[in-house]
């Protein structure tokens, strides 16, 4: 297949545990596999943004400072991101089904604890547990799709996977606003954490149809890699979340320096460790490097975009949680349409759809800043939000499949684990940095929002720039001649 057009992604070259007897990879129950794993994906990504709309209520009820609120939001994505690479290896070692079930149980325990939290510290701890459960589940979803979904249906499954992630992140503020506004049973903000429990229970019950896999013999967990990535990612996000509130003392800068040193050590020692968490071939693959960076940078702008919008509408303008959610609803509704159009756009235009979508989102951010400041402008902002939402849906529904399609086989296994990691780590850092920009000294709340939207536009513009590296490069004439000669000699169609 030519890389001049969008092609279905190759199956990642990962070690796949054998299927248990009596549980075929693609049998009669395989059509239920996708709804089960996508319901788990939905609830994981829902939790990234559903708490955003409840942040002002949490801050008032628990007396939490801005740094604590940042940790409540970023703590979930922190443990989520830190565990993804490790959990992928654990799934290979002990079986995807086992890790899926274990992670779902841990997630539900964290959700109940979050809903019952009496103070900010307990809520932060519960969010860390929630994130750990999601981190255990998320990499198993991609692995199960590879094992249980027939090859002919796999590209569509990956598209639905990307669309589910995007729509879940947008549904969070809307669902959260409805719940906080309705104040069901006097629960207030606590209902935003309880609502995920029934969905998780459905995923747990549906796990009976998932392929039961045996652990791969000889697979080992890279203990040093686990330690280095956990310390490195934690040392990166913690000072970003708390630095603004505590005035950036020396220890925040020390942690940032520690993060750079630890993650650098992780990357440099990969070739010298047996069974590394990430295959060293990843860093030699141009498509893999560009794809992981693209997902990371894009998610540094999302979910912080929806977080900033809901925060400003409630804190500065005085909207209720429900009104703020309804104001941003055109963004979510149009994202559904964008995700539905994404497969056709990707087949026709390839990675150019990513560049165009990112540029539209950058323009949306810049256009939104002056509109939100007045009542008439907020009505005019609705079609602008819809335009941006369509671009968001097109990007999220196509990026995973497009990235995996351009990755060499030797690096595809590592990339399939690193893409969700980049997504969650980018979101965690993005929320922290966007919060710093918004809460920085400004002449007025409107000016603060304008600064925040400039940050968002810069992130999406950088996303568009990185996506250019995903565009196919024309082969030199000598390569085309050699390829044609080899095809004529072997009689095999070029791929």
């Amino acid at each position: 297949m030519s890389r001049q057009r969008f092609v279905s992604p190759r199956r990642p070259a990962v070690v796949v545990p054998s299927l248990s007897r009596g549980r075929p990879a693609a049998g009669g129950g395989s059509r239920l596999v996708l709804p089960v794993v996508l319901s788990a994906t939905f609830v994981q990504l829902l939790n990234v943004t559903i708490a955003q709309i409840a942040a002002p209520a949490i801050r008032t009820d628990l007396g939490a400072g801005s740094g604590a609120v940042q940790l409540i939001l970023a703590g979930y994505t922190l443990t989520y991101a830190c565990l993804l690479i490790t959990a992928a290896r654990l799934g290979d070692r002990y079986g995807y089904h086992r890790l899926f079930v274990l992670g779902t149980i841990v997630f539900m325990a964290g959700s109940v604890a979050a809903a019952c939290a009496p103070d900010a510290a307990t809520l932060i701890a519960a969010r860390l547990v929630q994130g750990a459960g999601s981190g255990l589940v998320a990499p198993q979803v991609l692995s199960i799709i590879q094992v249980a979904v027939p090859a002919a249906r796999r590209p569509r499954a990956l598209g639905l996977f990307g669309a589910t992630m995007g729509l879940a992140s947008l549904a969070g503020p809307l669902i959260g606003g409805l719940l906080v506004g309705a104040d069901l049973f006097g629960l207030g903000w606590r209902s935003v954490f309880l609502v995920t429990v029934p969905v998780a229970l459905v995923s747990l019950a549906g796990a009976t149809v998932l392929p039961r896999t045996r652990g791969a013999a000889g697979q080992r967990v890279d203990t040093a890699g686990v330690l280095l990535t956990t310390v490195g990612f934690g040392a990166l996000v913690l000072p970003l979340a708390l630095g603004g509130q505590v005035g950036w003392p020396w220890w925040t800068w020390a942690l940032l320096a520690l993060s750079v040193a630890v993650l650098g050590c992780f990357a440099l020692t990969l070739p010298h460790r047996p069974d590394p968490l990430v295959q060293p071939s990843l860093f030699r693959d141009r498509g893999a490097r560009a794809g992981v960076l693209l997902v990371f940078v894009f998610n540094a702008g999302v979910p912080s975009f929806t977080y900033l919008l809901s925060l400003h509408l409630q804190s500065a303008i005085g909207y209720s949680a429900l009104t703020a959610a309804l104001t941003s609803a055109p963004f979510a509704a149009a994202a559904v349409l964008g995700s539905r159009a994404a497969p056709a756009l990707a087949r026709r235009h390839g990675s150019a759809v990513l560049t165009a979508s990112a540029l539209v989102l950058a323009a949306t951010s810049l256009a939104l800043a002056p509109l939100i400041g007045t009542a008439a402008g907020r009505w005019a902002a609705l079609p602008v939000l819809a335009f941006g939402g369509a671009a968001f849906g097109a990007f999220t529904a196509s990026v995973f499949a497009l990235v995996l399609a351009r990755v060499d086989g030797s690096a595809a296994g590592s990339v399939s684990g690193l893409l969700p990691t980049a997504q969650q780590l980018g979101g965690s850092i993005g929320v922290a940095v966007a919060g710093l920009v918004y809460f920085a000294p400004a002449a007025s709340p409107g000016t603060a929002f304008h600064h925040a939207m400039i940050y968002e536009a810069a992130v999406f513009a950088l996303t568009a720039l990185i996506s250019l590296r995903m565009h196919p490069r024309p082969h030199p004439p000598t390569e085309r001649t050699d390829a044609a000669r080899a095809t004529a000699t072997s009689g095999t169609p070029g791929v």
Side-chain angles (χ1 to χ4, degrees), residues 425-442:
L425 188 60
S428 180
I429 294 174
V431 167
V433 175
L436 290 176
V437 173
Y438 183 78
F439 287 113

Side-chain angles (χ1 to χ4, degrees), residues 3-4 473-480:
R3 290 188 179 180
Q4 308 287 336
R473 292 179 298 180
H475 296 291
T478 55
E479 291 186 13
R480 290 196 296 267

Side-chain angles (χ1 to χ4, degrees), residues 481-493:
T481 302
D482 292 342
R485 186 181 299 114
T487 301
T489 302
S490 64
T492 304

Side-chain angles (χ1 to χ4, degrees), residues 311-323:
L311 176 68
H312 184 71
L313 289 174
Q314 292 180 79
S315 300
I317 298 178
Y319 279 9
S320 67
L322 177 58
T323 304

Side-chain angles (χ1 to χ4, degrees), residues 50-109:
I50 196 170
Q52 293 174 358
I53 201 75
I58 293 173
R59 191 172 185 174
T60 301
D61 188 34
L62 299 183
S66 60
V69 172
Q70 294 280 9
L71 279 177
I72 290 169
L73 299 175
Y76 175 82
T77 51
L78 172 61
T79 50
Y80 193 166
C82 287
L83 279 177
L84 281 167
I85 302 175
T86 302
R89 180 54 60 91
L90 291 174
D92 291 340
R93 177 66 181 85
Y94 298 105
Y96 308 137
H97 179 272
R98 290 180 182 176
L99 268 293
F100 184 93
V101 171
L102 174 63
T104 303
I105 292 172
V106 171
F107 173 81
M108 287 193 298

Side-chain angles (χ1 to χ4, degrees), residues 174-493:
L174 181 58
I175 295 174
L178 291 171
L179 290 172
V180 173
D183 192 20
L184 297 174
F185 308 109
L187 291 172
W189 59 265
R190 300 178 188 274
S191 60
V192 304
F193 300 114
L194 285 177
V195 74
T196 61
V197 175
V199 183
L201 283 171
V202 170
S203 297
L204 191 62
T208 56
V209 306
L210 301 182
R212 298 181 183 273
T213 57
R214 300 190 184 101
Q219 278 288 320
R220 294 185 296 176
V221 176
D222 180 7
T223 306
V226 171
L227 179 62
L228 289 171
T229 54
T230 302
V231 172
F233 291 150
L236 178 62
V237 173
L238 185 62
L240 290 175
L242 293 179
Q245 184 190 28
V246 299
W248 294 100
W250 67 268
W251 61 264
T252 58
W253 299 106
L255 283 177
L256 289 173
L258 176 66
S259 172
V260 173
V262 170
L263 293 177
C265 179
F266 170 75
L268 291 174
T269 58
L270 277 178
H272 310 292
R273 294 201 304 271
D275 298 314
L277 281 179
V278 178
Q279 291 301 320
S281 59
L282 167 70
F283 300 101
R284 297 190 295 268
D285 187 282
R286 177 181 180 271
R289 294 195 307 269
V292 172
L293 182 62
L294 177 69
V295 171
F296 173 83
V297 173
F298 178 75
N299 282 278
V302 178
S304 59
F305 176 85
T306 53
Y307 165 61
L308 290 169
L309 180 60
S310 63
L311 176 68
H312 184 71
L313 289 174
Q314 292 180 79
S315 300
I317 298 178
Y319 279 9
S320 67
L322 177 58
T323 304
L326 292 176
T327 300
S328 61
F331 192 88
V336 176
L337 301 178
S339 65
R340 289 181 63 87
L345 291 173
R347 282 193 299 270
R348 183 171 183 178
H349 302 291
S351 55
V353 70
L354 304 178
T355 306
S357 298
L359 290 175
V360 169
L361 282 165
T364 299
S365 301
L366 293 177
L368 201 60
L371 294 176
I372 290 296
T374 64
R378 286 191 285 277
W379 281 106
L382 298 182
V384 174
L385 284 169
F387 197 48
F392 174 83
F395 191 104
T396 55
S398 55
V399 63
F400 271 56
L402 284 168
V403 169
L404 288 173
R406 291 190 51 78
V407 173
D408 289 341
S410 60
S414 292
V415 172
S416 65
L418 278 175
L419 287 177
T421 304
Q423 180 191 41
Q424 295 310 315
L425 188 60
S428 180
I429 294 174
V431 167
V433 175
L436 290 176
V437 173
Y438 183 78
F439 287 113
S444 66
T447 303
F449 185 72
H450 181 72
H451 292 164
M453 288 298 101
I454 291 176
Y455 160 80
E456 295 293 337
V459 169
F460 292 130
L462 181 58
T463 301
L465 184 63
I466 296 170
S467 70
L468 295 176
R469 296 179 61 84
M470 300 296 299
H471 292 191
R473 292 179 298 180
H475 296 291
T478 55
E479 291 186 13
R480 290 196 296 267
T481 302
D482 292 342
R485 186 181 299 114
T487 301
T489 302
S490 64
T492 304

Side-chain angles (χ1 to χ4, degrees), residues 165-177:
M165 290 190 297
L167 294 179
S169 65
L170 295 180
L174 181 58
I175 295 174

